[in-house]
Amino acid sequence: MTSFSSIAFSAPVVRTALRVALVVGTLLVMINHLPALLEGSTTSRNYLQIGLTYLVPYCVSTYSATVAILRRAD
């Protein structure tokens, strides 16, 4: 049986998750942080939040794809 981590770190899953994170993360950054970015009033806290804004859809996409692949293999 293939392990969760080997699937989660496989090239196809990582590529897909990166694309999802780029699209969804960018939309969420625009919704939540655009005024601060345009005004130039961003702080280190904003940058941390922006990083997390990209990390969350990456993790969700990776988890979803990995679970789907594992279930299909059973």
Side-chain angles (χ1 to χ4, degrees):
M1 181 170 185
T2 307
S3 71
F4 185 93
S5 61
S6 67
I7 295 170
F9 292 110
S10 68
V13 171
V14 170
R15 275 194 303 269
T16 301
L18 285 172
R19 287 187 201 120
V20 169
L22 183 63
V23 172
V24 174
T26 300
L27 290 171
L28 291 173
V29 166
M30 295 302 167
I31 291 167
N32 295 316
H33 301 286
L34 188 61
L37 289 169
L38 292 176
E39 294 169 2
S41 62
T42 52
T43 64
S44 57
R45 181 178 177 179
N46 291 117
Y47 290 118
L48 175 62
Q49 290 172 334
I50 289 169
L52 291 173
T53 299
Y54 284 97
L55 181 63
V56 169
Y58 178 86
C59 291
V60 170
S61 177
T62 299
Y63 177 79
S64 298
T66 303
V67 168
I69 290 167
L70 286 171
R71 285 183 181 161
R72 191 175 337 132
D74 283 344

